[in-house]
Amino acid sequence: MTPALKVSFEDTAIAFADKSDAELYKTYLLFAAMNNNSMVKMGGGLMKKALSWNLPVKFLIKKSIFEQFCGGETIQECKPTIEKLGRSGIGTILDYSVEGESNEASFDHTVQEIIATIEMAATSNHIPFSVFKVTGVADSALLAKAQTDQELTNQEKAAFGRVRARVKAICQRAFERGVRVFIDAEESWMQETIDQLCYEMMELYNQERPIVYNTYQLYRHDRLDVIKRDFERAQREGYYLGGKLVRGAYMEKEGRVAQQRGINNPINPTKEATDALYDESLRFCLEHIDRIAICAGTHNEQSCYHLIELMDEFNIQPNDERIYFAQLLGMSDNLSYNLAHAGYNVAKYVPYGPVEAVMPYLLRRADENTAIAGQSSREFSLVKKELERRKRKA
């Protein structure tokens, strides 16, 4: 039996071991609803309207879709989720998921919130990483303009100086506290600006070990070339490269904007091309694992098996700190729990924030589970399988 086959993502007893029958049935009902595309669209619209009209629906949202995909409204509320995941050997990545605020005061508040997650991680055995989006601490239009040939005004230069200072404050605290931090990827028209900030932070804080991680969206056809470029730069400048590998989150938007601007679409032409590029990127990173640390952020079973096989090929132990698997809270428990049970390093992204502020995130999760071919059906079928197993056992 190959090492990959020692882990079975069909083992629902392990996948849902920490859910009571009542919790599992509640999950079953939620995914059954998300299997219905029209219900998701109608329900999402109704939830947004109800909140905007200040109708008393927050409790219902919090006890349903919010509870499935979020840890709480505050870091303190996330503690039971952190502990629960930790008991199964799964780490937590606290993800402050408030969106839509874009002023200097909100940017400064976000910095303090991210630093608070770093402080929590520094005192917990169950939080291996922190994470933030640069658009959480910077105006997206400014990031986009900085990527063009346009000259920034003096006011914009001052604003960008504050952006750099915010990013540095987060990464410096992570370095001081020994906490690894992911800088999330964003849209292509601002990603080079974000990359440049990442390079600056890595050169400052990754001299002894990887602290700052850049994120690579492998649905973009040039990202493996970028990983190779970044690795050469890290080698040249004498620091470690940290990389989170994901497929990506802005595919439809990227295609639409490329068409509007009359430029080449940066997205791979097919899903198969993205899958192949993802797996090829994993191989490149493991070939250079002495100077690269990675987190494979994926809900793709075959990519997880592929990484397990690569680790075996390169004689890397399952619990090697340089390699992590990661999934979102509330999704793909069959991957997370079975990988952790087999001794691999696993972490769950645990979003948190006020219910009203994380609604865009929650609606994307619902849409994603409906839109991704088979995703909601896969989750639903696994929960159903476990309910049936428990019924037979009883």
Side-chain angles (χ1 to χ4, degrees):
M1 180 180 287
T2 65
L5 295 179
K6 291 178 184 175
V7 180
S8 170
F9 298 139
E10 299 295 326
D11 192 329
T12 59
I14 292 174
F16 302 112
D18 73 351
K19 285 189 182 296
S20 67
D21 290 351
E23 289 170 331
L24 193 63
Y25 187 65
K26 189 174 180 180
T27 302
Y28 168 85
L29 293 175
L30 184 64
F31 279 108
M34 287 193 296
N35 256 338
N36 187 319
N37 189 35
S38 58
M39 185 180 291
V40 168
K41 292 191 181 302
M42 182 177 69
L46 289 173
M47 281 192 288
K48 285 193 287 187
K49 284 182 179 179
L51 287 170
S52 68
W53 293 340
N54 293 317
L55 296 178
V57 296
K58 180 178 172 179
F59 177 79
L60 294 175
I61 295 170
K62 194 168 183 179
K63 296 304 289 183
S64 56
I65 188 170
F66 183 91
E67 191 174 75
Q68 178 70 21
F69 296 115
C70 295
E73 293 195 80
T74 65
I75 292 176
Q76 292 300 314
E77 281 189 17
C78 291
K79 282 186 174 181
T81 299
I82 296 168
E83 292 300 320
K84 187 175 185 180
L85 290 170
R87 287 193 292 271
S88 294
I90 297 172
T92 287
I93 305 167
L94 288 170
D95 184 9
Y96 183 55
S97 296
V98 171
E99 300 181 15
E101 298 181 18
S102 57
N103 56 70
E104 296 290 300
S106 71
F107 296 150
D108 290 336
H109 172 74
T110 297
V111 171
Q112 295 309 310
E113 193 69 35
I114 304 307
I115 286 175
T117 70
I118 290 169
E119 293 296 332
M120 173 73 87
T123 58
S124 171
N125 293 325
H126 303 315
I127 309 178
F129 302 96
S130 286
V131 62
F132 71 100
K133 287 181 180 292
V134 176
T135 51
V137 300
D139 181 72
S140 58
L142 177 63
L143 296 174
K145 185 175 180 180
Q147 187 164 305
T148 69
D149 294 330
Q150 299 177 65
E151 179 76 15
L152 297 182
T153 66
N154 288 336
Q155 186 176 0
E156 288 169 337
K157 287 177 182 176
F160 195 79
R162 292 192 294 274
V163 172
R164 181 179 281 109
R166 293 184 190 112
V167 171
K168 185 177 180 183
I170 293 169
C171 294
Q172 183 171 329
R173 185 64 63 90
F175 172 76
E176 291 168 351
R177 302 293 274 151
V179 175
R180 292 162 291 184
V181 61
F182 297 143
I183 298 180
D184 270 347
E186 307 205 42
E187 292 93 337
S188 60
W189 49 90
M190 65 183 83
Q191 186 58 48
E192 288 177 27
T193 305
I194 294 167
D195 287 346
Q196 291 299 323
L197 289 167
C198 282
Y199 303 150
E200 292 177 30
M201 298 305 115
M202 287 184 186
E203 194 167 344
L204 284 171
Y205 303 119
N206 287 14
Q207 294 289 333
E208 298 176 0
R209 64 189 183 103
I211 290 290
V212 179
Y213 285 57
N214 201 0
T215 301
Y216 301 95
Q217 300 190 103
L218 275 307
Y219 68 179
R220 289 186 57 182
H221 53 68
D222 65 345
R223 289 301 93 177
L224 176 53
D225 292 335
V226 171
I227 292 173
K228 291 177 178 178
R229 179 197 71 190
D230 291 358
F231 174 68
E232 290 172 4
R233 179 180 182 135
Q235 289 280 82
R236 187 172 63 251
E237 302 298 332
Y239 60 80
Y240 289 86
L241 179 63
K244 183 178 69 164
L245 277 58
V246 300
R247 277 169 169 76
Y250 307 101
M251 186 165 63
E252 291 181 6
K253 187 176 182 181
E254 290 278 4
R256 185 173 64 252
V257 171
Q259 187 175 29
Q260 290 170 351
R261 295 181 178 179
I263 60 176
N264 291 331
N265 192 335
I267 305 303
N268 282 311
T270 64
K271 181 183 182 300
E272 289 75 22
T274 295
D275 292 343
L277 193 63
Y278 191 94
D279 291 349
E280 192 179 348
S281 300
L282 289 176
R283 174 170 287 277
F284 176 82
C285 291
L286 265 68
E287 286 173 346
H288 302 91
I289 198 66
D290 57 325
R291 300 295 297 183
I292 299 179
I294 66 165
C295 176
T298 180
H299 291 230
N300 185 289
E301 295 181 11
Q302 291 309 311
S303 288
C304 290
Y305 280 135
H306 182 63
L307 181 50
I308 291 170
E309 289 166 351
L310 285 172
M311 291 175 70
D312 184 60
E313 178 183 337
F314 290 100
N315 296 311
I316 300 170
Q317 293 300 308
N319 63 350
D320 191 302
E321 275 294 305
R322 297 170 295 184
I323 300 173
Y324 262 80
F325 296 80
Q327 289 81 39
L328 297 170
L329 182 70
M331 294 174 63
S332 299
D333 285 348
N334 63 313
L335 304 184
S336 308
Y337 282 81
N338 280 295
L339 284 165
H341 187 262
Y344 292 90
N345 295 321
V346 184
K348 283 281 200 185
Y349 262 66
V350 176
Y352 74 95
V355 171
E356 301 86 348
V358 301
M359 278 306 297
Y361 173 86
L362 291 173
L363 294 176
R364 279 204 306 278
R365 294 288 75 78
D367 285 340
E368 187 176 82
N369 275 277
T370 304
I372 295 175
Q375 177 66 44
S376 185
S377 296
R378 175 67 169 152
E379 301 275 1
F380 181 56
S381 65
L382 288 166
V383 173
K384 186 178 179 181
K385 178 183 173 183
E386 174 59 12
L387 283 171
E388 291 170 350
R389 187 195 70 82
R390 292 186 184 186
K391 187 176 180 181
R392 287 194 304 271
K393 186 178 178 182

